[in-house]
Structure formats: structure tokens, C-alpha cells
Amino acid sequence: MPDIIQLLPDHIANQIAAGEVIQRPASAVKELLENAVDAGATEIQLIINDAGKQLLQVIDNGGGMSETDARMAFERHATSKIKEIDDLFRIKTMGFRGEALASIAAVAQVEVKTKRAEDSTGTYIEIENSVVKRQEPVAAANGTSIAMKNLFFNVPARRNFLKSNAAEMRHIVDEFIRVSMAYPDIFFSLTANGQQMFHLDRGTLKQRIVQLLGNQYNAKLVSVEEQTDYMNIYGFIGKPETAKKTRGDQYFFVNHRFIKSAYLNHAVAGAFQEMIATDSFPTYVLFIDLDPAQVDINVHPTKQEIKFEDEKIVYAFVQSAVKHALAQFSITPTLDFDLDPTIQQLDAVSKPFTSEQKSQASSSSLYNTFTQKHAAHKIDPQQKSELKHWREFYEPANKSSVDSPQTTVGSADFSLLGSAPKLVLADQDFTQLHQTYIVAATAKGMMIIHQQNAHERVLYERYLAAADGKPIATQSSLFPSTLHLSTADAVLLSDLSDELKQLGYLIEPFGKDTFVIQGTPADFEQGNEVTAIELLLEQFKHYTSDLKFSKREKLIRSLAKQHSIKAGRTLTQKEMKQLVEDLFNCAQPNATSNGFPVYMEIKKDELEKMFGR
């Protein structure tokens, strides 16, 4: 038998490595921007054509490269940042693995123009499929320009897996925001198809946050800054009113590297506890600086997931710093320690607690009940006289009224429901409870329906049908609304415009980052279009972290959640009946698309057991 194991050719090995590093145009954006930062640039331009598929170019005014370095940079594992293994644990730069340029050159046509300040001429190199096609001296400005053309031209199967231009552009904008946010002292610009999307002048971190996330944050940011020997933390958190119902503007940077960490997200959320709703997410842009030896940044190919040597210390420190910032800026509730003078005059304060009073209190059965072990839940029936005032509080003044159904609160509704021999859909009155639940009768008991969950299920199936070829009718807006978005959200809305049209929305671009809402779904309540779209985008971004959903599925779930009748809204009999009827016409009425229950049924015999019958 001949030997069957052989070494892969370099260009194939590079393409396999590229699969880890360059998954889409945005991956190359991240690597090239980080290299420009490492080169000491003060100005970095990103130029995109066709969402990076045709052209992706980064131009910087950094240190540049010599002719030899420019050629060596495209070899696998070529790096200027690691000379021995211990250097891996002292990394302070962004790029360091020596795989990015080699990976890019393996799956694209690359042109490099670079020049150092001390050199009279620069170097031009053209590489295709890992092979240098051309190398020559050239006149060039100080710094480096790397242009990546025709991504995946030699791997058509990979190119076919790329999403729409709008979707790929959204990923590019995300990476651009993450790098430019971390370096407010560097000028960044992003130009796509000849139109400038971002022009970020050098400035403070707060100015950069407002430039990237929107002017609405200008007066709503609170400074965070704490320093210790172990680590420093600084940045900004949004005031509680900026919290969103979905995970929106949250950025963590460790040694200026953007990271994803559910652990640290939890630390920040804990600091906001009881200040924002439990289903809301705070806004923050936080930087942690600590000794690189305390962090392992090699746990993931994209370097966005890291591991701390002591996670508990970092968690506690982050939470403490955020709490301190909130308290310092008088956002957290404060206690008034000035004692009301009248309190001092009360007997309980001014008079001593005598031995006789102490003995009398400790001999009571109520005292014993709460001081004996495992007895806190027990009340001695023989000693109920001590509790008679509490019992009387709950007992009706006229005992006969308990036996009379017509005088009991809600009894008329329940007697009517209880006598109905038909199912919930029978022609009968429903009861709304706490402006959240619909109570109805069944032949065998009663049913409690959560109004928002029920409406979510109804809308989900309606939108699903629309996306499958039964478009929802659009009603034209008498007074079209203008929608102003951040650049990132504008790119996202452009990506969703075709699907939204199928679902009844007619939204047209109207200049940079601005749209006009010309029409909405026929059953949509007019006057709330702008807020509905903003919430929809936030909800969509929340679902985006879940890879198992398609874009269509994420959009449908987002719309169903945002357009559903919320808890707290009073419903008429007509509205309740229509909702229940629509619910039980659904293919799957018992759960929302997220798996939450829509209704619960309580059997008649279970009700009787509750009342000892």
C-alpha cells in the first residue's frame, strides 16, 4: 500500500486558514483596521464597493513597511509582534497572529502600496491566490494602502454563502463602529459606493460615542472611572431612561479590544437592578485596562471572546464601578438620614422598655410562634383571640352576603361563565383581569388567556402567511412620517425593506440615514409609526444573536412582539372576543413563537378542591 498522508500545498493551507479568519467582508475590515491602528496611524479611511465583495480598501498614514516587510507580511505566521512564546501573554496590540494578510491574499486579489517616512519611494505589490504577481517601487504617501478585490473569486462556494449586500454592509458597519469606538483619538471615515457614511473627527470618547450612536445620548451619559493596582475601568453608561427592551448599544473593551462577554453584561445589569425594568438592557461603553498576562485572548479565532485569570475580581470591580458612578451622579435613590424630630417624642423611643413589658411580650403565643424553630408558619387555633382583629379585617361585615352570589364581586360574570356548557368561543361575556388576562369558561372549567401572548401568536401566524406569499395590505399614510436613524440602524433598515414591504410597510429612503414611512399594515394603529419601526429594529438586533433563526424568522418574530397588544391595555368585550376567536383559529394556539404559554386551563374539579369541595 502506498503512503497516503501528504502535506497540503501552501495556497490550499492558506485557504483553509482563511476560513477561520476571513468568514465574510466584515472579517477583513476588522483585521485591516486593527493593523492600521497598530501601525500608529492617526487617520484611517475605509472604502467599500458592493458591500466589500468587489472592493474593500483601508488607507492609513501609519508607519508603513519596507520592501522586505511588505513582501513578508503575506507569509503565513509572519508577524512583527511575537518573537518568543512568552510574548503571547504580553500582547498589547490588536493583530498579532500573522494570519490575516495571508488569509486575505488566499481568497482575494490584493494590492498593497506602502511607504515609510524615511524611504524616498514606496513599494507596490500585487498578490492573487497567495502568489505574488507583481512587485515594484512606486511613488506613495507615507503609510499603507491595502485593497482587497473580488473576495472569494477563487472559492465560488464560499462566495455563494455571502448574504445580500445590505446584510453584509451591516456587518461591516458593526466592525467599523467597534474599532473606531475604541480609538477616539484617531480620525476614521467610511465610504460605501462613493457615499460617505461616517466622518469621525478626532475628539473625546464621549464625542465619539455620540457620533456613532446618535445625538440622543448627548445629555444622557454618565462617566465611569475607577482605578486600582489590579485594573482600571473607564467609559460611559447611559442613564436609566436610555435602557432598551432589547440588547442594543452595549460595548465592552479589554485593553482596547472589543469583546463579547455575557458574564460582564450581567455585572453591569446587576448594578442597574431596580432602576430599570427587569426585561430592559442598559446602555454602556466601558473600557477595562489590565495586565495582558491576566487575560487570555487566544480562546477564539476572532479574538472577540477572552478569558480572565480571575473572573470574579473583574466582575465585582465592574459592578462596583458602575454602581459608584450611578450613585455619584445622584441617579440611584438616596436615603435621608435627617431624623424627624417628632420621632424622638414617641414612647417607643423616649421611654425605657421595662422588664415587665419585656416579660409580657415574650410570653405571648405570637412571640413564641415566631421564635421557635420551624414554627413560623403555625398559628395556634386556641389562641386566635390575639389575631381576631386581623381575621375581622378579611371577614365581611354581613355574613349572609357571602352566601349571596349576586352581591359578591364578579360573581355575576363567573356564574354566567360557569353555566355555559360550550367552549370558550361560545357567545358569552369575558372578564379582563389586571388589564393583562382574559378569563373565560370552558365546558369543564375555566381558561385564563394572556392577552399579549395570545396576540403575539395571532400576529406571528399572520405575518408568516404574508411572508409565504400572501402579502398584507398597505394603507397609505395621510401624513407620511420622517424617520431619522443612526447610520448602523439605517443600514439595517435598508436590509429589511423588501421583507417589510411584504408585511405591509412602505418605507422609502430620503437622504443620508433618513427614511419616509409612506404606508403601514392595514390593521396598524396610525400615529405611532416612527416608534414602532425603532422598536422593531431593536427587537431584530436582539434576535440577531441567535444564529438558528433566518432573517425572515427574526423579522416576523420582532414584528409580532412589537405590534402585539401589551399588558396594561383595557380591552372591550368586542376586542376580547375577536382576539380569542383569532387565537383558536391559529394552527398552534397554545404557545408563542418563543415557547411561552398563551393560556392555562383550570378544570372544574381542581377549582372545587381549592375550596374544599
Side-chain angles (χ1 to χ4, degrees):
M1 290 286 290
D3 297 332
I4 59 173
I5 294 177
Q6 55 186 328
L7 290 175
L8 288 172
D10 282 347
H11 71 282
I12 295 179
N14 283 344
Q15 286 183 6
I16 293 171
E20 274 194 346
V21 182
I22 310 299
Q23 299 165 350
R24 59 190 343 145
S27 309
V29 167
K30 175 182 183 293
E31 300 291 347
L32 293 179
L33 289 179
E34 289 180 348
N35 281 351
V37 169
D38 286 342
T42 58
E43 294 184 6
I44 301 174
Q45 303 172 59
L46 173 60
I47 300 169
I48 302 290
N49 280 342
D50 195 25
K53 299 170 187 175
Q54 179 191 337
L55 172 68
L56 193 162
Q57 184 175 14
V58 172
I59 304 170
D60 70 63
N61 67 345
M65 292 180 282
S66 67
E67 181 180 2
T68 304
D69 283 348
R71 179 72 177 262
M72 281 291 293
F74 289 89
E75 298 295 330
R76 279 195 77 194
H77 308 309
T79 178
S80 62
K81 295 150 187 176
I82 298 172
K83 292 183 172 59
E84 54 188 42
I85 193 65
D86 286 346
D87 291 342
L88 267 179
F89 305 99
R90 293 191 290 262
I91 293 294
K92 292 187 178 180
T93 54
M94 302 295 283
F96 60 88
R97 288 181 166 179
E99 295 171 355
L101 293 181
S103 296
I104 291 171
V107 291
Q109 297 161 329
V110 179
E111 295 178 7
V112 182
K113 194 182 289 185
T114 184
K115 176 182 172 295
R116 297 183 301 182
E118 61 266 31
D119 296 334
S120 55
T121 59
T123 301
Y124 174 83
I125 298 178
E126 199 174 300
I127 303 175
E128 183 178 302
N129 204 14
S130 298
V131 177
V132 176
K133 297 289 186 180
R134 191 172 160 199
Q135 179 172 343
E136 60 191 28
V138 67
N142 293 340
T144 302
S145 165
I146 297 184
M148 182 186 83
K149 299 180 178 180
N150 301 320
L151 180 64
F152 299 138
F153 78 100
N154 54 349
V155 197
R158 289 283 302 283
R159 191 177 178 91
N160 291 339
F161 274 94
L162 293 178
K163 305 295 184 185
S164 68
N165 279 8
E168 292 300 339
M169 196 64 213
R170 188 158 51 87
H171 288 287
I172 288 172
V173 168
D174 285 345
E175 293 295 352
F176 177 85
I177 287 175
R178 290 164 182 173
V179 177
S180 59
M181 183 90 78
Y183 295 94
D185 55 336
I186 298 177
F187 166 86
F188 284 90
S189 69
L190 169 54
T191 302
N193 299 322
Q195 181 181 358
Q196 191 170 68
M197 297 178 67
F198 288 95
H199 180 99
L200 307 176
D201 290 318
R202 301 171 66 181
T204 64
L205 174 58
K206 184 176 181 180
Q207 289 170 333
R208 181 59 55 89
I209 292 171
V210 171
Q211 284 177 318
L212 290 170
L213 302 186
N215 287 325
Q216 71 270 20
Y217 285 112
N218 197 22
K220 297 181 179 179
L221 295 175
V222 175
S223 175
V224 177
E225 186 164 5
E226 299 284 349
Q227 297 185 355
T228 67
D229 292 339
Y230 183 77
M231 61 181 280
N232 299 330
I233 182 169
Y234 62 94
F236 290 89
I237 51 176
K239 292 180 179 179
E241 62 261 35
T242 66
K244 298 182 179 180
K245 291 293 183 185
T246 55
R247 201 180 298 283
D249 300 322
Q250 299 183 322
Y251 296 87
F252 253 118
F253 299 88
V254 173
N255 294 345
H256 284 264
R257 185 188 307 280
F258 172 80
I259 66 157
K260 295 178 179 177
S261 172
Y263 189 68
L264 294 184
N265 287 344
H266 189 271
V268 177
F272 276 86
Q273 197 168 14
E274 297 182 3
M275 298 176 58
I276 62 176
T278 53
D279 59 347
S280 295
F281 299 89
T283 295
Y284 56 82
V285 179
L286 294 173
F287 291 77
I288 295 173
D289 290 345
L290 74 170
D291 185 347
Q294 303 291 332
V295 184
D296 183 359
I297 53 180
N298 283 290
V299 298
H300 193 272
T302 64
K303 297 171 285 193
Q304 287 186 2
E305 295 176 17
I306 65 173
K307 186 170 178 58
F308 295 102
E309 185 172 307
D310 194 327
E311 289 185 325
K312 290 181 180 177
I313 288 179
V314 177
Y315 181 99
F317 187 71
V318 167
Q319 190 167 86
S320 172
V322 173
K323 279 185 177 179
H324 185 225
L326 290 169
Q328 197 172 16
F329 285 84
S330 302
I331 290 172
T332 52
T334 56
L335 296 175
D336 185 0
F337 288 101
D338 293 332
L339 192 63
D340 186 343
T342 59
I343 293 177
Q344 300 282 7
Q345 310 305 319
L346 296 177
D347 287 354
V349 176
S350 60
K351 293 182 180 179
F353 189 41
T354 66
S355 300
E356 184 180 347
Q357 289 172 322
K358 184 177 180 181
S359 174
Q360 187 176 352
S362 60
S363 64
S364 72
S365 62
L366 192 59
Y367 175 89
N368 292 331
T369 297
F370 283 94
T371 53
Q372 291 172 8
K373 194 174 182 182
H374 305 308
H377 63 290
K378 293 181 180 177
I379 299 292
D380 185 354
Q382 303 302 319
Q383 302 294 333
K384 64 179 180 181
S385 60
E386 292 184 34
L387 302 175
K388 66 180 179 180
H389 298 297
W390 291 96
R391 293 180 62 84
E392 286 169 2
F393 181 78
Y394 287 101
E395 287 175 356
N398 184 354
K399 182 71 168 66
S400 63
S401 65
V402 176
D403 303 323
S404 175
Q406 53 267 36
T407 57
T408 306
V409 176
S411 64
D413 295 328
F414 280 99
S415 63
L416 177 62
L417 293 172
S419 63
K422 298 181 182 178
L423 293 174
V424 174
L425 298 181
D427 186 16
Q428 56 184 304
D429 285 348
F430 298 141
T431 301
Q432 189 183 25
L433 190 63
H434 301 309
Q435 295 178 306
T436 302
Y437 306 97
I438 298 170
V439 181
T442 65
K444 298 180 180 178
M446 63 181 288
M447 183 176 285
I448 303 174
I449 303 165
H450 192 288
Q451 66 190 43
Q452 181 175 347
N453 287 3
H455 200 211
E456 269 190 48
R457 167 48 66 177
V458 170
L459 292 178
Y460 175 78
E461 295 202 6
R462 189 178 300 166
Y463 294 144
L464 199 61
D468 284 336
K470 298 178 184 175
I472 291 175
T474 300
Q475 61 179 348
S476 297
S477 302
L478 191 59
F479 302 102
S481 304
T482 303
L483 179 64
H484 302 281
L485 297 173
S486 67
T487 302
D489 282 349
V491 173
L492 173 57
L493 185 57
S494 298
D495 181 28
L496 299 176
S497 60
D498 288 343
E499 286 83 0
L500 283 170
K501 187 174 181 180
Q502 189 83 356
L503 295 166
Y505 278 99
L506 185 57
I507 303 173
E508 296 177 352
F510 190 69
K512 185 178 183 297
D513 301 340
T514 304
F515 299 83
V516 175
I517 305 172
Q518 299 283 12
T520 55
D523 59 350
F524 182 79
E525 187 177 338
Q526 294 288 309
N528 202 27
E529 299 87 348
V530 170
T531 303
I533 293 295
E534 289 173 342
L535 291 173
L536 167 66
L537 295 177
E538 285 304 316
Q539 189 66 47
F540 186 89
K541 285 186 278 188
H542 175 64
Y543 283 129
T544 296
S545 60
D546 200 328
L547 298 177
K548 69 185 178 189
F549 295 145
S550 65
K551 182 173 79 170
R552 187 188 77 160
E553 178 71 11
K554 284 182 254 187
L555 180 58
I556 290 171
R557 288 183 178 218
S558 301
L559 275 170
K561 192 170 185 67
Q562 291 308 326
H563 288 183
S564 58
I565 296 169
K566 303 300 186 288
R569 176 175 157 183
T570 303
L571 301 180
T572 65
Q573 278 294 322
K574 184 178 179 182
E575 288 172 327
M576 285 191 281
K577 287 181 179 179
Q578 187 62 58
L579 177 55
V580 173
E581 186 175 338
D582 290 344
L583 173 65
F584 286 99
N585 281 328
C586 287
Q588 188 180 339
N590 60 321
T592 67
S593 58
N594 293 326
F596 296 115
V598 170
Y599 60 84
M600 297 183 71
E601 192 172 4
I602 304 176
K603 298 284 195 272
K604 188 180 177 184
D605 57 348
E606 292 173 350
L607 283 168
E608 289 176 342
K609 282 180 185 176
M610 292 179 193
F611 293 97
R613 297 294 178 184

